[in-house]
Structures are given as C-alpha cells and as structure tokens.
Amino acid sequence: MREYSIWLLLIIMLVAQSCDKKPDGPPNIIFIMSDDHAAKAISAYDTSLIRTPQIDRLADEGIRFDNCYCTNAICAPSRAVILTGKYSHQNGVVDNFRSFDGEQQTLPKLLQEAGYKTAIIGKWHLKSDPTGFDHWLILPGQGHYYRPGFRGPDTTYIFDGYVTDIITEKGIEFLDSLDSDQPYFLMIHHKAPHENWQHAIRHLDRFADVKFPVPANLHDDHMGKSEAPRDQEMTISKHISLDYDLKMEDTLIRKKDLEQEFFYFHEDAALKDRIREVLDEDDYRLWYTYYAKRVQEYNSLPEDPRIVDEWKYQQYMEDYLSCISTIDDNVGILLDYLESSGLSENTIVVYTSDQGFFLGEHGWYDKRFMYQEAHQMPLIVSMPDGMHSTDAHMITNADFAPTFLELAGLEVPPDIQGESFAGALQGVGLEQWREAVYYHYFEYPAVHSVKRHYGIRTEKYKLIHFYYDIDEWEFYDIQNDPNEMRNLYGQPGYSDIIRDLEDKLYALQEHYGDTDLERFLPTFPDTVTHLAHNRPYILGSKPNEKYNTNDRSLTDGIAYPDGESFQLTDTDWCGFWGDDFIMEMDLGEAVRVSNISAGFLQDQKRWIFLPLKVDFYTSADGDQYNSLTVELSEAMAKDQTLMKVNAEANFMNERIRYIRIVAKNNILPDWHSGAGNPAWIFTDEVLVR
C-alpha cells in the first residue's frame, strides 16, 4: 500500500510539473482591433451602456489598461502607428487620404523575419497593399457590413453573411491552416462599429426597449473654449443624418421637418439600394419594418430641438451598441476556439480599437479631438498565465509594436519611437515610465471639420493648441474637470502650470521630431503641384469648401477605376456647385502627350450630374490652341445611381505644354426634385499621359 502511495505521489508530481511547464518557443499573438470602439462601451470599463461578457473574459484573465491613448485619433493614421511604432509624421500617414508606404519597416515584417507566420484579416484602410504578411484578406476601403467583398493578393471575394462574423471565421480558418510548431501573429481587424452602424440582423432589436443614460454634456454649447469645438461638423443635433446614419426611409419622414435646422439628410440612396440587394427577402423585411417604426416614432416627436437631439442620441446608441454586441459574440467564438484547440496555452490575445469615439459627450459622434472620449483607446491584454490586474501607466498605440517584439524575444530597432510595456504584462513592472503623452491631429480641412491641433496630457492636466487657420489654446484640470468642460487657459492661478506644460510639450515635439508644422499643411489650388508631373495648375473657379478637403485631390495620384468602391466624402473628389470646372496646367515644356483624362462623378440623388461636355484645349506655345470636345451622353439620364465616368481626350502624341480643361455644368432637369437649380460637378484625378 505504501509503495502504491509513493507511485501515486510521483504521478501527481509529474502531472503538476507538466501543467506548470510553459510551452516552448515564442508566444503566439492575436491582435483584435475594432473600429471606433469607445472604452465606455465595454463593460470591463463601464457598465452604464452595455454588457460585453466575452471581451470581459479577456479582462478577467488579463490586464486592463486604463490610460491607453492614441497619437492621432483617426482610422488610417492609428493603423500606421500600430504597424510601425512611429508617430504619424514619421510613418507618413497623417490623415485618411495618404497611402501607406509598405516598403518601410513594420511589426509584421520583423516578426516574419523571426519565423512568425503573419496574417491580417478585415479592415486595412491604408490604400496600398499589405506587406510583411504571409496571408492577407482585407476589405476594400471601409468595406460593407452585409455580404461584404474582400481582397486578397491575387483575387477578390464576396461572402454571404455579416462582416464581423466573416472576419472571425476567416481568422479561425487561418489558425486551422498553421503548422503547430510555428508561432503566428494574426491581426483581426473588425469594421464594426464604424459609421453607419449597421448591425447583424439577429441583433436588430437587441436594444429596442432600452433607455440609455443621456450624457450630462449632450447639449454642450462649448462656451469659453476655442473656436475649434464650435466649428466642427460632428454633432448629433445637426450632422448625424436621418437616412444614412439612422437608417430612416426619407420618403416616410414628414417633409415639413426639412425646414428645421436640426433635421439633416445625407441622402445615400445607393446604400439603401445595396441593402435591398444583399439581404434576403425575410431579412430585408425585418430591416425595413424595424426602421419604419423608427420613422413613425420620429414623426410623432414634438418639434423641440432638445427633445429631438435626445431621441436621435437614443437611436444612435441602439445601432452603435448592437454592432458591438456582434463583436462581443465573435470574441467569444475565437476564445472558445483557442481553448478547445489548445492554442490558448501559448497565445497572447489583445483587444483594442483604433481610437475612442464620442457617444454623445459634448453633443458629438465621431472622434478626432484630443478630448478624453476620442483620445482614450480601450486596451485589454490576456497573457497565457491568466494574470488578472489593471494598469494605470500612460500607454500609446506607438508602444504596441515594441511591446510585441520584446514579448517575442526580439530586439526593438532603435528608430521605433514607442516604448515597450512588456514588463507590465510579465509582472516585473515598468521603470522610469513616461509621465505625459503627445498627440497631433492633422486632417483639416476635411470631413467633420475638426481643426488641426497638437497637445500634451499628463495624469492631472491637458494642454491643446489649435493651429493652421486659428491660433488658440485650451487647458483642462482633468482631476477636477474630467469631462473637460472648463477651458482654464489664461485663467488666474494656472500660469505656472501652463508654462511648465508648454515646455514639456515642446520638449516632446523635439523628442519625436515633430517640429515642422508647415510640412503637412495643405497647399492652395493655384500653387499645388501635380504629383505625377511636378507641374502647377490653376483653377478658374474655387471648389466648395466642404468638398475640397484636400487641395491635391485633382492630382493626388489616386484615380479610382470605374466600378471600384469610393465615397463621396473622400478627399479624392473636388466639388463645384453651379460653376463650370475650369483647370489650366503648364507642363513646363512641350512634351508628347497621348491622352488626357478627367474623372467625373454622377449621383443624381445628391444633385451630382456629369457635365454635358468636356472641352480639352491644348497648345505647344501658348498662342495657338487646338480643341477637342468629349460629350457625356449619360449626363441627363434619369435615375442614375452612384457611378464614375472618365472623360478622355486622345492625342496622336502631339507636342503639348499648356492644357485647359472646361467642363460645363448642368441645370437640374424638369423631372428632378430640384428642377431649375444648379447641379454639382464632382471631379477626380486629372491624368496627363
């Protein structure tokens, strides 16, 4: 009996040693990133809006970081920072309109060189093709929620279903394909909950009967602050749209309400048509019936702006949070797969978002500002040992790359600007960690009209400088004013603190090499250079400010092929209302030209028509001009949906130096709802071959 007991004890000891033994080799890393997911909309952070039990599983088994901040709160720049560990001004992607240089050093390339199998599935949004990945399957542009298309290295795909479910499914397929001995780095990038918040049909009425708490500053008037928060275009009151964002059929809405300032339409008929096409009959009936009820409720509201704003906030939250419910479902599916497959024993799982998001605070949706709701990123990291804790260190998205490299046992290249917080994940702590984070937002003029600004945040204070077309400062005592309602810049009693913060701010700009504030400023149309030919052009009429958010839009090198996905709000388009499009270009010397083309947009629901004709005037010497006219027969065709048409003039290798392009605008025809009014001309890339 004693001998049996000894053997039993030995077996128990061997089993215990086997269980305690960590898997050999570097850890696997799964990086899950949603789009625009505010920390407040994760119940591990805040339970006032939603329960996210699956994301909370990660927090229960890992570390929740309470002070993680983005360096530039907008989609593409944040992704570029995460890939490179470098700030926007260093990696070249300062806004959503510049292409990512895939030749530069990136995290996946470094892991790939060290033997990792690398993959990205889901939203990419960086214009160039992914590099450094053994496998990639990405959404074109923003992608679609229902029956989405994807691009791979060699072909495109369309998958039935809902985008969040599909991204998770394809991520698991990648994991299934791996050699068990090879470490992997998998980036799962969800589209949700990006605007316009189309949720899975199964969650259509997920929050139908829920009354969400209204933020105390939903009706913020921004008094005492700079001009920037007053001039933005991201309010729930005036800018969230009834049809595009809130999915309400415009033909059912009371037309008299259109006269009120607080009723605003986006009028995206193409989106509605697509939903009707991609959903099956039963799902579309559920969709239409659900949102028809929303219209009925809206029509019964009193015409009181505050009441309407609060009602719109409730609908916004319902749709936004329903998208997050599907993300939460899929995090659970992935975690269950990792456990059942045994991969969880050596896999680090990260959950984050590309930035935060305003959920009615300050009266807003969207992001961009350095205020807390957009500036803060959720960050939860689950390590294989299941250590549970919270962490208050000030982390940025530039720190992700060096941290993952250190966890993989690799050296961090000296040119990476972020710092590794691997010690916080391994239980050894962080020595001499930063006491402040730096922020710089560049994308202005642009959609949502958030002015350029940079700033510094410490544990207690925040200082922001808005610049370019204004020169104003804001200072907040975060400890006593966490909602950032009182701008104390210039107020008595704070001068020493502000002066110290300014010194630290300028020191951070020196440290990160962000001292040239002129480098990324837009150039005006009469001085801009054609990127393909390095030649100036002049516009005969000024574009509308709302649709000239990037003054390089006519010659930025991005020419969408016909049929490829594009958006009206992209700065690749230049919009003229009521004016002809007139452009003059000097090539500097007479060169042989075979073709000149200009792209035009047509979307009659939004009053955008192709020009009746486009005249191309060319000259070798500036005195003698030849002309060629291109007529666009589709210009007045009824019921055209969103499409792009190229006007092309072909030349027999003529010698040309001077080019003049004139596109005649339309008056809206009798059959149009705006009959007799001027139309819009939207033009894209002008190419000289």
Side-chain angles (χ1 to χ4, degrees):
M1 187 70 176
R2 181 181 178 187
E3 184 177 342
Y4 173 79
S5 299
I6 292 172
W7 276 109
L8 181 62
L9 180 61
L10 287 172
I11 291 171
I12 292 172
M13 291 173 63
L14 288 171
V15 170
Q17 290 175 0
S18 175
C19 292
D20 289 339
K21 182 181 178 181
K22 294 183 182 295
D24 294 331
N28 306 309
I29 303 171
I30 295 180
F31 181 81
I32 309 170
M33 184 164 68
S34 52
D35 193 320
D36 297 342
H37 193 171
K40 183 180 178 180
I42 298 174
S43 49
Y45 283 94
D46 189 318
T47 59
S48 64
L49 290 175
I50 189 175
R51 295 286 179 174
T52 52
Q54 304 305 327
I55 299 175
D56 291 359
R57 280 171 64 183
L58 287 173
D60 293 340
E61 301 166 358
I63 302 174
R64 185 194 73 204
F65 288 86
D66 292 341
N67 291 298
C68 180
Y69 300 100
C70 59
T71 55
N72 183 356
I74 191 170
C75 298
S78 178
R79 294 161 196 274
V81 170
I82 290 168
L83 285 170
T84 62
K86 299 177 183 178
Y87 283 72
S88 299
H89 62 280
Q90 293 285 4
N91 64 51
V93 182
V94 298
D95 53 35
N96 270 345
F97 311 111
R98 295 168 198 260
S99 179
F100 181 73
D101 178 9
E103 295 297 315
Q104 63 185 303
Q105 171 187 276
T106 64
L107 169 65
K109 285 182 181 179
L110 294 170
L111 290 173
Q112 192 180 49
E113 291 169 3
Y116 273 74
K117 196 82 169 178
T118 59
I120 181 167
I121 298 170
K123 181 171 176 179
W124 173 246
H125 204 236
L126 289 170
K127 295 189 180 290
S128 60
D129 285 346
T131 57
F133 294 98
D134 297 293
H135 173 72
W136 56 270
L137 185 67
I138 61 172
L139 295 167
Q142 290 288 355
H144 292 292
Y145 275 104
Y146 305 116
R147 201 167 184 264
F150 285 80
R151 285 201 307 116
D154 302 316
T155 189
T156 59
Y157 308 85
I158 295 179
F159 299 114
D160 289 327
Y162 184 71
V163 66
T164 307
D165 301 334
I166 294 166
I167 289 170
T168 301
E169 175 188 330
K170 298 304 175 184
I172 290 175
E173 286 180 7
F174 168 75
L175 295 175
D176 273 337
S177 72
L178 295 173
D179 184 330
S180 59
D181 294 331
Q182 186 173 18
Y184 60 82
F185 174 62
L186 169 61
M187 305 185 87
I188 295 179
H189 285 193
H190 290 297
K191 169 183 171 62
H194 191 279
E195 189 182 9
N196 68 345
W197 318 298
Q198 299 174 29
H199 38 90
I201 300 299
R202 66 180 181 272
H203 286 311
L204 198 59
D205 57 355
R206 171 76 170 78
F207 295 100
D209 300 319
V210 177
K211 190 76 170 177
F212 301 102
V214 177
N217 55 0
L218 178 68
H219 304 290
D220 189 357
D221 61 8
H222 311 292
M223 293 301 293
K225 298 184 179 181
S226 70
E227 178 185 331
R230 295 193 297 275
D231 279 3
Q232 45 62 44
E233 295 178 354
M234 45 188 267
T235 63
I236 291 174
S237 173
K238 296 180 182 179
H239 304 110
I240 203 168
S241 59
L242 298 179
D243 54 353
Y244 177 75
D245 290 323
L246 301 186
K247 276 82 72 186
M248 294 159 60
E249 179 63 51
D250 59 301
T251 59
L252 303 179
I253 297 173
R254 296 180 311 192
K255 294 302 181 183
K256 67 187 184 70
D257 289 344
L258 296 176
E259 299 172 4
Q260 303 295 324
E261 183 180 27
F262 50 88
F263 297 97
Y264 176 83
F265 280 82
H266 186 288
E267 188 94 22
D268 196 332
L271 173 70
K272 298 174 193 172
D273 292 341
R274 187 181 189 280
I275 290 173
R276 187 179 294 110
E277 292 170 2
V278 299
L279 293 181
D280 65 34
E281 186 176 343
D282 291 338
D283 284 347
Y284 181 72
R285 186 182 301 110
L286 290 171
W287 166 280
Y288 185 87
T289 302
Y290 187 79
Y291 288 112
K293 292 179 181 177
R294 180 174 286 183
V295 177
Q296 293 173 0
E297 189 176 329
Y298 173 80
N299 285 340
S300 68
L301 293 173
E303 295 184 16
D304 180 326
R306 290 178 69 90
I307 293 175
V308 173
D309 290 352
E310 293 182 14
W311 180 87
K312 288 162 72 174
Y313 161 76
Q314 295 291 338
Q315 316 315 306
Y316 162 40
M317 285 297 91
E318 183 179 322
D319 292 350
Y320 176 90
L321 296 171
S322 293
C323 289
I324 290 171
S325 291
T326 313
I327 292 177
D328 194 61
D329 293 345
N330 280 273
V331 169
I333 290 170
L334 179 62
L335 294 181
D336 289 345
Y337 169 83
L338 293 176
E339 290 177 3
S340 64
S341 64
L343 290 175
S344 59
E345 295 179 6
N346 193 34
T347 298
I348 299 167
V349 183
V350 181
Y351 186 86
T352 189
S353 174
D354 48 0
Q355 66 268 317
F357 212 65
F358 290 104
L359 304 183
E361 300 89 359
H362 303 290
W364 295 336
Y365 67 103
D366 209 72
K367 55 263 185 179
R368 303 165 196 270
F369 278 103
M370 197 190 169
Y371 302 136
Q372 173 69 10
E373 294 80 9
H375 192 202
Q376 182 189 14
M377 302 169 64
L379 177 62
I380 300 171
V381 183
S382 177
M383 301 290 288
D385 59 15
M387 179 176 65
H388 168 68
S389 68
T390 59
D391 188 280
H393 287 96
M394 302 189 81
I395 306 296
T396 76
N397 51 348
D399 300 329
F400 294 0
T403 300
F404 299 154
L405 290 172
E406 184 174 339
L407 291 172
L410 304 177
E411 289 189 12
V412 178
D415 59 337
I416 283 183
Q417 295 181 304
E419 301 176 46
S420 170
F421 57 90
L425 299 171
Q426 296 167 326
V428 298
L430 301 176
E431 296 182 1
Q432 297 180 331
W433 194 253
R434 68 169 68 94
E435 296 179 352
V437 292
Y438 177 65
Y439 180 88
H440 194 164
Y441 175 80
F442 299 82
E443 192 179 292
Y444 177 87
V447 62
H448 292 305
S449 195
V450 174
K451 295 187 182 295
R452 293 170 182 251
H453 59 287
Y454 55 83
I456 182 174
R457 183 202 163 112
T458 66
E459 180 184 0
K460 296 181 179 180
Y461 305 110
K462 180 179 291 184
L463 181 67
I464 308 172
H465 181 216
F466 294 95
Y467 72 100
Y468 175 52
D469 59 343
I470 62 173
D471 180 11
E472 297 187 65
W473 293 79
E474 293 182 5
F475 166 74
Y476 296 97
D477 181 344
I478 298 171
Q479 280 196 324
N480 296 310
D481 179 23
N483 294 325
E484 299 166 320
M485 296 294 291
R486 299 184 298 277
N487 176 21
L488 299 175
Y489 191 82
Q491 297 297 313
Y494 291 95
S495 58
D496 290 343
I497 296 173
I498 291 172
R499 190 177 304 111
D500 179 61
L501 277 178
E502 287 179 348
D503 290 343
K504 290 178 178 177
L505 173 60
Y506 296 139
L508 285 177
Q509 288 183 326
E510 289 282 350
H511 176 70
Y512 293 121
D514 190 25
T515 56
D516 183 3
L517 298 181
E518 301 289 324
R519 179 181 171 195
F520 294 106
L521 291 181
T523 50
F524 293 99
D526 56 350
T527 61
V528 76
T529 298
H530 190 298
L531 300 186
H533 301 284
N534 197 30
R535 298 293 183 263
Y537 72 78
I538 297 174
L539 293 177
S541 56
K542 292 293 184 183
N544 182 273
E545 291 182 1
K546 185 175 181 180
Y547 297 110
N548 184 36
T549 53
N550 173 6
D551 294 309
R552 296 181 184 272
S553 57
L554 293 171
T555 57
D556 60 5
I558 303 168
Y560 287 112
D562 291 3
E564 185 167 327
S565 173
F566 53 84
Q567 296 182 4
L568 176 62
T569 54
D570 279 351
T571 54
D572 305 313
W573 294 96
C574 214
F576 301 80
W577 186 61
D579 294 321
D580 295 337
F581 167 63
I582 304 172
M583 175 183 181
E584 297 180 355
M585 180 183 291
D586 179 359
L587 300 180
E589 60 179 329
V591 297
R592 296 195 180 278
V593 173
S594 62
N595 175 279
I596 303 173
S597 68
F600 295 92
L601 185 66
Q602 178 164 267
D603 189 356
Q604 295 178 355
K605 293 289 186 180
R606 299 188 221 179
W607 296 29
I608 301 171
F609 278 70
L610 298 176
L612 291 171
K613 64 174 184 174
V614 183
D615 294 314
F616 295 85
Y617 301 92
T618 58
S619 173
D621 56 12
D623 294 325
Q624 183 78 26
Y625 274 83
N626 298 317
S627 65
L628 193 156
T629 298
V630 176
E631 295 185 356
L632 301 178
S633 59
E634 298 95 336
M636 303 299 284
K638 191 173 181 179
D639 296 330
Q640 287 286 353
T641 56
L642 184 67
M643 63 180 295
K644 178 192 170 186
V645 174
N646 284 323
E648 295 194 8
N650 295 309
F651 301 89
M652 301 298 293
N653 289 324
E654 293 180 18
R655 294 183 63 82
I656 295 172
R657 172 174 176 175
Y658 301 98
I659 301 169
R660 178 179 172 87
I661 304 173
V662 179
K664 302 296 292 183
N665 211 330
N666 281 301
I667 298 297
L668 297 177
D670 292 341
W671 54 262
H672 196 277
S673 60
N677 288 297
W680 281 86
I681 283 184
F682 270 71
T683 185
D684 179 27
E685 193 75 2
V686 173
L687 298 176
V688 181
R689 300 180 178 89

